[in-house]
Every structure is written in C-alpha cells, then in structure tokens.
Amino acid sequence: MNKNLQFLEIKRMDPKVMPVPKRVKNYREIYGHYSTRNAAEQSGRCIECGNPYCEWKCPVHNYIPQWLKLIEENKLFEAAELSHQTNSLPEICGRICPQDRLCEDACTLNDGLGAVTIGSIEKYITDEAFKKGWKPDMSNVRQTPFKVGIVGAGPAGLACADVLTRNGIKPIVYDKYEEIGGLLTFGIPPFKLEKEVVLKRKKILEGMGVEFRLNTDIGNDISFNTFKSKYDAVFLGMGTYTYMKGGFNGESLNGVHDALPYLKSNVRKLFNPKNNFIDMQGKTVMVLGGGDTAMDANRTAIRQGAKKVYCAYRRNEENMPGSRREIRNSKEEGIEFLWNMQPIEILGKDKVLAVKFLKTKSQKTHTGDRGIPPLVIPNSEKIIKVDSVIIAFGFRPNPSPWFEENKIKLDSIGRVVLNNDSQYSHQTHNPKIFSGGDMVRGSDLVVTAVFEGRNAAQGIIKYLGDKKKKK
Ligand code: FAD
Ligand code: SF4
C-alpha cells in the first residue's frame, strides 16, 4: 500500500462503542480497545504532514506523529516512553480529552477524510504497555536531598509529582479524599473513565517514588504552616470547588442538587454499595447547564433509572460548551435537550415540583455568541413538571483562609495569581509556594491541569537548584 495514500484506503475507525441498551445498564467505559493491528493501521493513516498542527493544538504538545509512527512499526515500549515525555497521564487524556476541539480538530485529515484517532491511540499505547509490564525507566535518576509537599492529588498535583520524582526530588502528595485523582475519581463518572485506570496510575507513581498521604485536609488536619515547614517547596493543586448558583428562587428546595455532590455520591456508592447516595430512579429529572458536568449528570441519572431526563441550556446547541462527543452520547442515551431556555425559578413548596423558564434567542456577532448573554424573549414562559433538579452551572475557586497570611495573591474571582516577574514557572508571590491547574486557570480540562503541574515542577526544580548553588 502506498504509505502516502493509506488514509484513503483505510478509513478512520474508532474503537467499538457499547450499544446504547447495554451501556445505560452499567457504569463501564463505553468505548472499547484497539487490537494491535487496528492501532497500527489507524496510526498509519497519519500523513506526516510536516507541520504537525495536532501537536500545537494539544495543550501538552505531545509528539503525536512520532508516537503514531512507532505504533505503526509495532514499537510499543518506545511509544510509551515517548508519550510519557510530555504527558504524565496519557491513558487518561486519551480517554477524556475533548479531542474534537484539540488534537483531532487540528489534524490535516479532519477535512472530510476523518482525523487520525489520536486520543484512542494514546490510550492504547499506555494501556497496552502497562499490560505487557512496561514501567517508566527511572534507572538514570539521581536522587537529591529535596522534598516537595503537594496539596491535591488531582491531575495537576499528580503531574507535578511525576516530573519531580523523575528528577530525583521526593514528592509527598496530600489529599483530603480517601483516594487519589481529584475530579478524575470524584467527579468524572466511570462510563468515561473507569476508576481502575486511576488506581493503576497510582501504583505506577508509587513505584516511581511518589508518596501519597490521603484523608488529610491541609489547613484542618495539619496547619498549613506546619505542612510548609516540612518541605523545601510546596505545590498547590487544589482545584475549584465553589458551586455556581443561578440566583433564582427555589434553588434550596428539597430535590434540588448541585451536580458535583450528586456525581460524587454516585461514585462513592459504586465503591461501596452501603454508602448513601442521591438516587434518581423513577424520577423526572431536569439538569440545568450545558457543559461536561451537565452531560455527566444527565448520563448518570439515566443509568440510575430516571424515568425522564431533560437538559436545559440558555443558548443554542452550537454554543454549548460541552464536548460534542459527550452531547452526542447524551442524546443517544435518551436525554431530551431544551435549548434556548433560561431557568428563572424552581417551583415547589416543601420540595421541587417544576422549573419555570423563559425562551431566549442568541445574539450573534462575527465571533458567534459566546460570552454575550442570550436575549430573553418576553412573555415566553414555560413550566416543566419535574421531581428533581440538578444544577451544573460550573465552579469557582474556593481560596483557603491561610492564603492571605502566606502572601498567595488572588484575582477578583479567587484564582491564584502567579508571580509573572519570577524566573521560576508557576511560582506564587510566596517564593516557596507554586501552584497550577484549575485553582490558577479556573475550571478547565485535565490536560491543561497536567500541563500546569508539569511546568510548575520545572519551576520548582530550577528554584531548588538555584537555592542549592547559593548555599
Ligand atoms: P482537581 O481535579 O479538582 O483536584 C484537586 C484536589 O485537591 C482534590 O482531590 C481535592 O480533594 C484536593 N484538595 C483541595 N483542597 C485540599 C486541602 N486543603 N487538603 C488536601 N487536599 C485538598 N476535563 C476533561 O479534560 N475532560 C472531561 O471529560 C472532564 N469532565 C469533567 C466532568 C466533571 C463532572 C467535572 C467537575 C470536571 C470535568 N473536567 C473534565 C475538568 C477536570 O476534571 C478538571 O479540570 C481537572 O480535574 C482539574 O485538575 P486539578 O488537579 O486542578 O483539580
Ligand atoms: Fe489529544 Fe489530549 Fe492526547 Fe493532547 S493529550 S494528544 S489533546 S488526547
């Protein structure tokens, strides 16, 4: 086969997806795995265009064409080694990155021919390499005497720990939850990311020298000053956990839930069936919001056996922030979307009975209608009867009381402001403290949190190296 025309003869083929009637009855990941042959063929579709836009659009700038070539040539361990040079959680990003607006959107073949299945191949590389016994090569690491305390075992904290340990610096990662992963474990549902994948990564990181101290809330179980005094530098990757509200009547009625506690309770029940959880079985549910969290709530309610799930969003479908793939999956699983609907009140006395909306229309500009509130159409009220409402309006930071005394500066919405005058990447205004992920950027993506955690680790390595030289 002519290599340059392989993309014409071999069509894009995603891994098999579980049929809808089966997948809504369980919480397993809905996408299957490539065989070695499928992975090689799909990798071979890359035309090596010379200007890899995919690499630029990928937030961690993965060496995509190079590892595709290695998989085409069946060099799995080399591909795994290369993939880990830029990404600390490749098997996770391969599963849950919105590839349709990142790497695959930028693929030269994404022009009617079908982009290379970059995400699925990235997932294949690490899953398969782990299965065959591959581990990151730590044989050349020279240990230093430095120790870094990390607050938060989410993607940012894990990525920071990964880079530090590969550079001989001991990371000790604290989290207030009972398991690592942050939102990977206690947010994103298992049908997108099975928890075994995160636990496998935990084992790998522990094998590389990362130490975890779980069930430990820094600031409560240990004062921040005591914590800070134990380490040569500190990284904060604490995420954003203030739930946004709609500001209308009825939000505190019984039967109205914030999306994250709802999703978290479902995961905890899957960990241990004796745990209490918020159950939507037999209910008519209204999910308010249009992002990934809303899609996850929709699909969880369906799996719990909800009678009917509506998802209402105040703009049109085109302008929904959720990944296209997740919107498609929600539709397939039976969610009824109500676009251009602005909730104005949740009705009920002791408990929720209905949601009142006004219809909206988009205000189009040359850049679309993102960022501009849609126009509410007067006298367009609509009331929809429901048993439960799940609010998924996004998250804001939740700065800790000890930030101020530690000179950690914040912006007007509570995000950590990095010291732009510093020569050390991701340093805050307190030289010993570095930060990254959602608490710096605002709620975003796993891959951007990974990028920031890795960059912060580079900042810490340089900071500690310079400190040593000055001694
Ligand atoms: P987090 O993942 O929030 O981790 C922060 C950690 O810090 C938590 O474990 C927390 O317990 C810990 N912590 C906080 N304070 C303390 C303290 N004082 N002491 C000890 N520990 C502390 N992104 C995608 O790319 N794809 C998706 O499909 C996707 N789906 C999502 C679905 C949902 C429901 C949500 C909520 C988010 C989703 N995201 C998705 C976004 C993504 O999960 C986040 O951007 C990412 O997890 C941020 O990583 P982080 O490390 O900054 O924070
Ligand atoms: Fe694509 Fe995300 Fe992987 Fe980058 S990390 S190549 S954006 S799936």
Side-chain angles (χ1 to χ4, degrees), residues 54-55 57-62 64 67 87 89-90 92-99 102-104 118-120 122 447:
C54 55
E55 226 175 272
K57 198 103 184 251
C58 164
V60 289
H61 306 306
N62 272 336
I64 298 167
W67 45 247
N87 194 350
L89 306 173
I92 293 175
C93 292
R95 283 172 163 82
I96 56 171
C97 267
Q99 287 99 11
L102 296 175
C103 53
E104 292 181 19
I118 299 170
S120 302
E122 190 176 20
V447 65

Side-chain angles (χ1 to χ4, degrees), residues 96 152 155-156 175-176 182-183 192 217-218 237 241 296 438 444 446:
I96 56 171
D175 204 292
K176 60 184 174 191
L183 291 172
K192 276 166 61 180
D217 186 333
I218 300 300
Y241 286 90
D296 291 349
D438 279 3
D444 199 14
V446 170

Side-chain angles (χ1 to χ4, degrees), residues 46-342:
C46 174
I47 57 171
E48 295 164 31
C49 53
N51 201 347
Y53 299 107
C54 55
E55 226 175 272
W56 284 107
K57 198 103 184 251
C58 164
V60 289
H61 306 306
N62 272 336
Y63 302 129
I64 298 167
Q66 288 92 327
W67 45 247
L68 289 174
K69 188 151 183 48
L70 288 169
I71 288 302
E72 190 188 358
E73 293 166 356
N74 207 4
K75 294 179 180 159
L76 178 67
F77 284 8
E78 285 97 323
E81 203 61 54
L82 187 64
S83 161
H84 280 78
Q85 277 182 25
T86 49
N87 194 350
S88 303
L89 306 173
E91 74 289 12
I92 293 175
C93 292
R95 283 172 163 82
I96 56 171
C97 267
Q99 287 99 11
D100 46 17
R101 59 184 164 93
L102 296 175
C103 53
E104 292 181 19
D105 180 50
C107 173
T108 306
L109 295 184
N110 189 28
D111 193 14
L113 294 161
V116 176
T117 50
I118 299 170
S120 302
I121 294 165
E122 190 176 20
K123 163 178 119 167
Y124 164 87
I125 293 172
T126 298
D127 281 358
E128 210 50 35
F130 282 167
K131 257 193 242 161
K132 297 203 159 94
W134 175 86
K135 285 185 188 142
D137 179 8
M138 302 288 285
S139 57
N140 290 326
V141 175
R142 287 217 325 266
Q143 293 305 326
T144 72
F146 297 122
K147 283 184 179 176
V148 172
I150 296 180
V151 188
L158 297 180
C160 183
D162 173 46
V163 174
L164 290 176
T165 197
R166 286 170 185 271
N167 284 274
I169 296 173
K170 176 84 180 167
I172 296 102
V173 187
Y174 292 73
D175 204 292
K176 60 184 174 191
Y177 290 152
E178 66 272 30
E179 251 322 328
I180 74 154
L183 291 172
L184 300 176
T185 303
F186 298 104
I188 298 173
F191 47 82
K192 276 166 61 180
L193 174 66
E194 285 173 4
K195 303 311 157 199
E196 292 83 347
V197 178
V198 183
L199 292 176
K200 177 74 202 174
R201 179 53 68 176
K202 181 184 182 190
K203 279 219 167 84
I204 294 288
L205 287 168
E206 283 173 335
M208 294 164 73
V210 178
E211 201 175 308
F212 292 106
R213 304 219 177 134
L214 302 177
N215 290 312
T216 312
D217 186 333
I218 300 300
N220 283 317
D221 297 325
I222 303 178
S223 81
F224 182 70
N225 286 340
T226 307
F227 165 79
K228 189 178 69 177
S229 66
K230 291 183 182 181
Y231 298 109
D232 299 293
V234 161
F235 174 75
L236 306 179
M238 297 159 62
T240 52
Y241 286 90
T242 303
Y243 313 133
M244 300 278 283
K245 296 284 180 188
F248 39 74
N249 284 339
E251 281 183 287
S252 51
L253 280 171
N254 265 338
V256 180
H257 306 279
D258 287 308
L260 195 56
Y262 167 64
L263 292 170
K264 232 188 302 183
S265 83
N266 195 59
V267 167
R268 287 216 162 96
K269 179 224 156 200
L270 296 173
F271 279 158
N272 179 356
K274 286 190 186 142
N275 285 341
N276 285 334
F277 71 108
I278 305 167
D279 193 358
M280 296 299 161
Q281 189 176 23
K283 293 186 178 163
T284 299
V285 181
M286 175 67 70
V287 176
L288 300 176
D292 282 333
T293 306
M295 299 312 124
D296 291 349
N298 287 332
R299 300 175 65 203
T300 299
I302 284 284
R303 281 163 178 74
Q304 288 185 338
K307 187 162 86 188
K308 170 88 193 164
V309 181
Y310 295 104
C311 179
Y313 182 56
R314 63 188 183 137
R315 299 173 198 277
N316 56 16
E317 178 171 9
E318 209 179 295
N319 286 292
M320 280 178 97
S323 136
R324 299 297 105 186
R325 181 181 56 199
E326 300 313 323
I327 296 169
R328 192 178 64 234
N329 286 332
S330 294
K331 281 186 188 172
E332 283 177 6
E333 291 172 13
I335 312 304
E336 184 175 334
F337 281 96
L338 309 169
W339 287 291
N340 287 108
M341 296 276 270
Q342 171 89 52

